[in-house]
Amino acid sequence: MNSSEGKLKSSSSELDLDRPNIEDYLPSGSSIQEPHGKLRLRDLLDISPALTEAAGAIVDLVKAPVLEFRTFCYKTKCFELELKYLAKVFQYLTDCSCALDEQDSFTRCFKSNPPEPWNWNVYLFPLWCCGVVFRYLILFPMRALVLTIGWIIFLSCFIPVHFLLKGNDNLRKKMERALVELICSFFVASWTGVVKYHGPRPSMRPKQVFVANHTSMIDFIILEQMTAFAVIMQKHPGWVGLLQSTILESVGCIWFNRSEAKDREIVTRKLREHSQGADNNPLLIFPEGTCVNNQYSVMFKKGAFELGCTVCPIAIKYNKIFVDAFWNSRKQSFTMHLLQLMTSWAVVCDVWYLEPQNLRPGETPIEFAERIRDIISVRAGLKKVPWDGYLKYSRPSPKHRERK
């Protein structure tokens, strides 16, 4: 009996070293009393009802060892030791619930929010069916025809200009910029794009860079139809990659690959060289580094803010009344994304060209990036979250998880 008591005392002292203060979890005015009956795990969970839902998913993982330990404590009348152990379990559940909440705040940034169904009764359903028929059988063929005509006009002009005016670089670059703006206008027309631009149109000046929040690759198209930007963009495969390496190369766009570590140094050097040129197209960067669902704003990469240039913020806000413009590249190809836009009623958005900003004395590039993110988030009505958007690429894609 003495040996068992010694073991219990040593176990109690070990648990006492890092146990949480259980009184912090009790209602005000309450104190710890020796229980007269059975002490149940749900009695502790009732202290904080907000944790009950999160703890329910985890309680099965700790249920068996808790029951074994409670049986032992009940037989030996060691209620104090049982309370200490259950307090540790409660702390574990609290930590898990906090982790679940943080994980949820991250995934919400990259989830598309479908609109609430409105065709819920016998009166509205026929109207919805008529709308589907009109969008797919009338609007979509007309938009596809508009886009086809645009490509025919663009290619019939761009190819001769690109190859026949190589001796006159200034004229060739000017005409290529105009043609890129033209084809982007045809793309916007193929979605029945309703875009409102606020503020002065960007101009070509040395030592300035434009930064914008990022929802989809169509952000670039919408901005490009007004001004031929040289954009910093991820290298894409397929027909998009072909356009990047041919047509968009002519306006000075810079491509990179996230999987190549050496690309970071090359891109930084090209950024500095491009920003110093007086005749180069304005430089456009999406510092979030990934597409976000236009409701949140993730952390800005500091690369655009340590060039020693004037930073011109651009805020883009889409109206989801007709279609959600967010492109989830891990679930949907860009071709399917365009088809979704072309079969919707319209793409409606606002673009604000905001006041240029410079690095303040004593301000670091990271603080400068956060200040610009504040300006864009306030103007576009975005919620700031402390997440790095690149974390999205470090986890398996939904397609991969579904196949497994």
Side-chain angles (χ1 to χ4, degrees), residues 287-300:
E288 289 173 303
T290 186
C291 295
V292 189
N293 63 6
N294 208 229
Q295 291 180 308
Y296 296 87
S297 172
V298 299
M299 292 171 59
F300 280 11

Side-chain angles (χ1 to χ4, degrees), residues 57-210:
I58 307 167
V59 71
D60 289 337
L61 299 175
V62 297
K63 187 175 182 180
V66 167
L67 290 177
E68 290 180 9
F69 189 79
R70 287 182 61 244
T71 302
F72 170 77
C73 291
Y74 181 73
K75 290 180 179 179
T76 58
K77 308 298 183 181
C78 296
F79 295 108
E80 182 180 356
L81 183 60
E82 181 182 13
L83 187 60
K84 294 174 183 177
Y85 183 79
L86 291 179
K88 280 185 169 294
V89 174
F90 180 76
Q91 182 64 42
Y92 171 75
L93 296 176
T94 304
D95 294 341
C96 290
S97 66
C98 293
L100 288 172
D101 182 67
E102 290 181 356
Q103 174 71 8
D104 187 54
S105 69
F106 175 75
T107 56
R108 279 200 301 263
C109 301
F110 309 104
K111 279 188 176 181
S112 179
N113 299 315
E116 294 184 3
W118 56 270
N119 53 328
W120 45 269
N121 61 28
V122 69
Y123 306 105
L124 297 176
F125 185 73
L127 293 176
W128 178 82
C129 292
C130 292
V132 171
V133 171
F134 182 78
R135 287 188 288 114
Y136 281 84
L137 300 183
I138 299 178
L139 273 183
F140 176 69
M142 292 174 58
R143 291 168 172 174
L145 179 62
V146 168
L147 189 58
T148 303
I149 293 173
W151 275 113
I152 293 174
I153 296 174
F154 173 78
L155 292 176
S156 61
C157 297
F158 184 85
I159 294 174
V161 167
H162 185 72
F163 290 101
L164 298 179
L165 294 180
K166 284 193 174 181
N168 192 341
D169 288 343
N170 291 333
L171 179 61
R172 177 174 60 85
K173 289 181 179 180
K174 185 176 181 179
M175 294 187 68
E176 286 176 346
R177 282 197 295 263
L179 289 172
V180 169
E181 293 175 4
L182 176 66
I183 189 60
C184 289
S185 298
F186 275 105
F187 266 106
V188 175
S190 69
W191 319 319
T192 314
V194 182
V195 185
K196 293 182 179 179
Y197 297 91
H198 310 268
R201 179 173 175 172
S203 58
M204 294 174 56
R205 295 178 183 176
K207 302 193 70 174
Q208 70 172 2
V209 59
F210 291 82

